[in-house]
Amino acid sequence: MAGFSFTATAGTCDGADLALVARTEGTPLYVYSRASIEQRYRALDAALAAHPHRIHYALKANSTRGLLEILMAAGAGVDANSGGEIAVARRAGFAPDDIVFTGVGKSAAELEAAVAADLHAINAESAGELERIDRIAQARGVRARVAVRVNPDIDAASHPGISTGGRGHKFGVPIDDARRVCREAAARPGLRLVGVHAHVGSQMTRLDPVRRTASTVAAFAGALRDDGVALEHLDLGGGLGISYDGAPAVDVGDYARTLLGAVAPTGLRLLVEPGRWIVGPTAVLLTTVVDVKPQSGDRHFVVVDAGMSELMRPALYDAYHRIAPVAPRTGPYATCDVVGPLCETTDVVGLGRRMVLPEVGDLLAVLDAGAYGSAMASNYNRHPLPAEALVDGGDWRLVRRRQTVDDLLACEPAAPAGEVLPRALPRVSR
Ligand code: LLP
C-alpha cells in the first residue's frame, strides 16, 4: 500500500523521509502521496467497473492543481461547486464535458458561464434555478444539460454540519415536489433534463443511508420514465467516509455494490462525486512544536505552528485526526492538548492525546489531512497559506509554494509614500 508509515525512528511517505521534506520546505506543510491518490482512484473505479459510470471527483475536497493533474490522467471527471472551481478545473485541462456543476447558490454570472461552457450537467437546486438556466439557454439559442438535485429526506447518520439530505436542509428540491419540477423542466425549450442528482451527506460511515438514497433516486427515475422523461444518468453524489481513527472503514467494494444494486436495473449511467474518500488519507499536515507548557498532573499544552487556519476541521466539527510524532521520543507518556498558535480557544489540532511529551522543535504529522485541509485553509491572523509537497517515486516537488507577505497584500491598495492609509480606495467596478 502506498502512503505514509510511522515507525519508532522515522516517518516516511513512499520512501521519502518526512523530516527531510519538512527541513527543506519548512512547516506547516501538506505532504501528499501521488501513488496513494492513484491507487485510491483506481480502487473505486474498479469497484464500479461492472456498470457504465464516471467518477466526478469533488473539487471542494482539494483542488490543488498538482493533484488534479494526477486525477485527470487517471480518467476522472470533476464536480465543481463554484465558478472558481470550474475555472481551476478548465485550467488544469478538464473539458466542459468532464464537469458537473453543483451548488446551492449559483450566481447569475456563474450560470451564464456554465451554460456558455456547455458542461456535462448543471445540477439544479430549485425550480427557480431551472427557470433561470432555461432563460439564459434560450437567449443563447442552446439547450443546457441539467440534472435536478432531489432532497430525499434521508439522514446521512453523519455529523449534523455535513448532513445535507434532510427535510430542513437547504439543499435540493424536496422529493415530494421533484416529479412535478422535473416534468416542467423536461418541457422547457432551453433545457435538456439528463439526470437526477442526490447527495445526502459527507463522511458517511454506514451503508444504510447510501442504500436508501440510491434506491429512492432509482425509483424516482422509474417514475419519471413513466411520465415519458428519459434520463441519461443518475448522480448519487459523494459522501463515502474514511477512517480517521484507524478502525476499519466502509469497504469500497461494499459501497460500490450498494450503489450498483439500485442503479443497474435502471440501465442508466451512474455518476458519483467522491472527494474525501479519494484524497483524505493521501496527505499529512506536518507541523513543528513551538511551545510546551504544563497544565496539571501529566497534562500539557503542546503548541504547534499549524492551527485552524491550516486545518479547520477540528475547530469546526470537533473532528478527530490522529497525530504521529515523526521522530518519536522515548519516555513516559503524557496527556497532550495539541493546539495551534491562533488567538482562539477553538484553535485545536487534537485534545487529550497520549504520547511521549514532545519538545520544542519536534515534528508532528497530522494524519488523513488530504480532504478539506488545504482547501479550507485561511489567512486568519495573517497566516500565509502553507506550502504543499507531492511525493512521487521517493522524491518530492512543491505543488504549491508557501504564500509570502506580498501575496497576502496583493489585493490591497498600497498607501502612497508618507501616508498611513490610501486617501480613497479605488472605485469598485463590476
Ligand atoms: N457532492 C456534493 C454535492 C457535495 O456537497 C459534496 C460535499 C461532495 C460531493 C463530496 O463529498 P465527500 O465525498 O467529500 O464526502 N468540510 C467538511 C465536508 C463538507 C462536504 C461538503 N459537500 C469536512 O471537512 O468534513
Side-chain angles (χ1 to χ4, degrees):
M1 277 290 275
F4 298 87
S5 140
F6 295 91
T7 67
T9 51
T12 54
C13 173
D14 300 333
D17 176 8
L18 290 175
L20 177 62
V21 184
R23 254 199 323 276
T24 311
E25 308 297 351
T27 62
L29 177 73
Y30 278 97
V31 181
Y32 301 88
S33 157
R34 178 194 176 108
S36 179
I37 296 168
E38 279 174 346
Q39 270 182 12
R40 295 185 72 82
Y41 177 84
R42 295 221 165 96
L44 177 58
D45 200 32
L48 294 169
H51 188 78
H53 69 277
R54 184 107 199 256
I55 299 173
H56 285 262
Y57 166 69
L59 292 169
K60 60 173 75 69
N62 190 322
S63 60
T64 298
R65 207 156 60 171
L67 275 57
L68 300 189
E69 285 160 10
I70 299 168
L71 291 166
M72 188 171 63
V78 292
D79 157 31
N81 197 68
S82 67
E85 286 189 350
I86 292 173
V88 168
R90 296 285 288 123
R91 289 206 198 179
F94 289 95
D97 192 47
D98 295 324
I99 301 172
V100 295
F101 182 21
T102 320
V104 77
K106 305 180 193 77
S107 70
E110 286 175 323
L111 288 178
E112 279 282 352
V115 172
D118 193 18
L119 303 180
H120 189 69
I122 302 173
N123 291 337
E125 295 263 348
S126 69
E129 186 174 284
L130 286 159
E131 190 194 327
R132 288 189 288 279
I133 299 168
D134 180 42
R135 228 182 303 128
I136 294 168
Q138 285 198 55
R140 292 183 159 269
V142 297
R143 295 185 84 179
R145 294 171 57 86
V146 294
V148 171
R149 179 173 183 172
V150 298
N151 181 327
D153 193 19
I154 288 171
D155 180 0
S158 183
H159 186 283
I162 54 177
S163 297
T164 52
R167 206 181 286 282
H169 296 140
K170 66 183 176 181
F171 301 94
V173 177
I175 188 88
D176 298 338
D177 302 338
R179 196 164 170 184
R180 176 183 53 81
V181 169
C182 284
R183 272 199 308 252
E184 286 170 12
R188 286 185 180 274
L191 302 182
R192 175 166 296 138
L193 180 62
V194 293
V196 174
H197 174 234
H199 170 84
V200 299
S202 191
Q203 184 53 15
M204 288 191 286
T205 51
R206 295 205 227 138
L207 282 176
D208 183 52
V210 175
R211 183 177 300 112
R212 288 174 56 211
T213 304
S215 56
T216 302
V217 170
F220 181 73
L224 286 183
R225 198 184 43 231
D226 295 343
D227 292 344
V229 178
L231 303 174
E232 293 177 13
H233 72 246
L234 300 181
D235 179 345
L236 291 179
L240 178 57
I242 60 171
S243 170
Y244 281 102
D245 62 4
V250 176
D251 176 71
V252 69
D254 291 340
Y255 171 73
R257 275 186 289 280
T258 302
L259 293 181
L260 295 185
V263 173
T266 67
L268 297 172
R269 195 157 169 261
L270 170 66
L271 307 190
V272 284
E273 303 169 347
R276 185 191 320 264
W277 193 86
I278 293 182
V279 295
T282 69
V284 297
L285 172 61
L286 295 181
T287 184
T288 302
V289 175
V290 293
D291 196 12
V292 177
K293 52 183 177 180
Q295 303 183 56
S296 57
D298 79 344
R299 197 169 188 117
H300 288 71
F301 285 115
V302 173
V303 187
V304 294
D305 65 359
M308 64 193 277
S309 47
E310 286 73 26
L311 180 67
M312 207 194 219
R313 304 193 68 257
L316 197 55
Y317 316 108
D318 245 339
Y320 178 91
H321 285 257
R322 285 172 288 175
I323 301 172
V326 171
R329 295 181 175 277
T330 51
Y333 273 53
T335 301
C336 298
D337 289 332
V338 182
V339 297
L342 294 115
C343 299
E344 300 264 348
T345 299
T346 55
D347 180 32
V348 300
V349 180
L351 299 180
R353 303 305 173 86
R354 297 290 295 168
M355 62 172 91
V356 180
L357 192 63
E359 292 182 13
V360 170
D362 283 6
L363 194 60
L364 302 180
V366 186
L367 306 197
D368 304 307
Y372 307 107
S374 83
M376 292 174 76
S378 78
N379 289 131
Y380 188 40
N381 282 199
R382 290 287 195 184
H383 275 210
L385 293 179
E388 302 181 37
L390 179 70
V391 173
D392 188 359
D395 204 353
W396 78 87
R397 69 187 162 89
L398 284 189
V399 285
R400 183 182 178 108
R401 67 161 169 78
R402 189 176 307 284
Q403 277 185 327
T404 62
V405 173
D406 284 343
D407 293 329
L408 292 183
L409 290 171
C411 302
E412 300 172 34
E419 277 180 41
V420 178
L421 285 173
R423 229 184 288 277
L425 288 169
R427 201 175 264 289
V428 177
S429 63
R430 286 183 191 277

